[in-house]
Amino acid sequence: MSHVNMTWLDLFRHGSRSRNSRLRLSTEREKKAMEAGNGCRPNITDDRWSLRGTTALVTGGSKGIGRAIVEELARFGAAIHTCCRSEQELNKCLQRWEAMNFTVTGSVCDVSSPVERENLMDKARSIFDGKLNILINNAAIGYINPAIKVTLEEYKHVMSTNLDSAFHLSQLAHPLLKASARGSIVFISSVAGFLGINTASVYGATKGAMNQLTRSLACEWAKDNIRTNCVAPGVIRTPLVRPLLDNKEFVAKETRRVPLRRFGEPKEVAAVVAFLCLPASCYVNGQVICIDGGKTINGNL
């Protein structure tokens, strides 16, 4: 065997001995962890998969996807402030979260109002001592109307609630997110921002604009250690779509377009949102992630 071949063989043997040594050490650590009662999960650095010590503001957190996001972030250890328009709904949720030992506060806010948005951010600033790690722009409304029948009042209401509020709250939150030195914004968009949907023209326009806002802020605010991402759910089983679930024709038509052949659950959206807020996703920036069971990529229709 040549000298060169012998050299590579020696290196291979040395590498194998080194890998075997590391493997033995790893196995011994896992064995000790098992004996200590630490379970059998992989040895993942806790800080990468925890939100302990972080603060979050979630709009529209009393029901549906918003409530699921509040609860998912709380399970990871975040302290959260949320809002909704109904004081009765909010109080009911706060009682639920207190029983679950979650650190959640709340206030009544109509995010379509610039003044109420400013008041909301003032409360978050006061509660969290001027620092905010996470902003979830979730609150949204929609009118089911043909485009020619949409009134100017409806148009303005959808725009101010869905798009204006998301942009304005991001502006207001910027100094708080920057002060935290590890900020994350997540917009809750929709597949309606990618697909043309009859009777949802204005709603879809707000979501399409939100997708682009995600990319723009991701570039502009990265220097301030603020990441910006977005999720775009498909049909999710929320109170908003619950009346449609009794319509067999609607269910059959919609699920036929989804490769997974079912609708999504709020907790499935919340899980992706939580990941985008975790340190483990620290290199994910400017992305719009569809959570739709494959609907938007399905060409087999």
Side-chain angles (χ1 to χ4, degrees):
M1 185 178 292
S2 69
H3 171 73
V4 173
N5 288 340
M6 284 296 294
T7 301
W8 280 110
L9 185 59
D10 290 340
L11 287 172
F12 176 77
R13 287 170 176 166
H14 174 75
S16 296
R17 287 195 296 270
S18 177
R19 284 193 296 273
N20 289 337
S21 175
R22 288 196 297 271
L23 183 59
R24 284 195 298 273
L25 288 172
S26 177
T27 304
E28 289 170 4
R29 286 196 205 100
E30 290 175 4
K31 183 178 180 182
K32 289 179 181 179
M34 288 291 290
E35 291 171 350
N38 292 334
C40 57
R41 292 193 298 175
N43 184 21
I44 299 174
T45 304
D46 285 346
D47 288 347
R48 291 198 302 126
W49 298 97
S50 172
L51 292 174
R52 286 191 298 270
T54 64
T55 58
L57 173 61
V58 181
T59 64
S62 66
K63 56 188 175 184
I65 292 172
R67 187 170 82 173
I69 290 171
V70 168
E71 295 180 359
E72 189 77 354
L73 295 180
R75 289 188 188 97
F76 278 98
I80 302 153
H81 186 78
T82 190
C83 69
C84 74
R85 289 176 294 180
S86 167
E87 185 174 6
Q88 183 178 1
E89 282 185 7
L90 180 63
N91 289 335
K92 184 177 179 181
C93 286
L94 290 174
Q95 291 174 5
R96 167 188 168 90
W97 293 327
E98 183 179 8
M100 298 171 76
N101 293 319
F102 290 159
T103 306
V104 184
T105 55
S107 56
V108 176
C109 176
D110 180 354
V111 297
S112 69
S113 164
V115 173
E116 292 196 32
R117 294 195 292 258
E118 291 172 357
N119 292 338
L120 174 65
M121 198 58 65
D122 285 341
K123 288 178 183 177
R125 181 183 293 106
S126 176
I127 293 169
F128 298 138
D129 297 323
K131 293 183 180 181
L132 184 68
N133 296 101
I134 298 164
L135 171 64
I136 310 295
N137 286 300
N138 168 70
I141 62 167
Y143 292 101
I144 305 301
N145 256 341
I148 59 172
K149 293 187 177 180
V150 174
T151 67
L152 181 59
E153 290 72 23
E154 289 173 339
Y155 176 87
K156 288 181 176 179
H157 192 201
V158 175
M159 283 290 176
S160 62
T161 302
N162 297 6
L163 184 60
D164 295 356
S165 71
F167 180 67
H168 189 203
L169 285 170
S170 298
Q171 283 184 314
L172 295 171
H174 179 270
L176 283 69
L177 293 164
K178 184 177 179 179
S180 75
R182 195 184 77 188
S184 178
I185 299 173
V186 181
F187 294 106
I188 311 303
S189 180
S190 167
V191 295
F194 292 95
L195 304 172
I197 300 176
N198 293 344
T199 71
S201 58
V202 181
Y203 178 81
T206 65
K207 297 306 184 177
M210 184 177 285
N211 296 344
Q212 185 56 37
L213 179 61
T214 297
R215 302 179 186 103
S216 297
L217 295 186
C219 294
E220 188 172 337
W221 290 355
K223 67 181 185 302
D224 299 320
N225 292 318
I226 300 171
R227 294 183 299 114
T228 308
N229 290 290
C230 182
V231 299
V235 179
I236 307 297
R237 292 181 179 274
T238 65
L240 186 66
V241 301
R242 191 169 293 151
L244 296 174
L245 301 181
D246 294 329
N247 185 329
K248 293 182 179 180
E249 183 180 352
F250 170 81
V251 172
K253 179 182 176 182
E254 286 298 315
T255 54
R256 183 173 60 85
R257 295 193 59 185
V258 180
L260 290 181
R261 292 295 189 267
R262 66 176 179 85
F263 296 142
E265 301 291 340
K267 64 181 180 180
E268 293 173 317
V269 178
V272 180
V273 172
F275 170 71
L276 292 172
C277 299
L278 285 164
S281 68
C282 63
Y283 202 56
V284 181
N285 190 34
Q287 302 305 303
V288 181
I289 302 173
C290 291
I291 309 173
D292 62 355
K295 177 179 178 177
T296 51
I297 55 86
N298 186 12
N300 301 301
L301 301 178

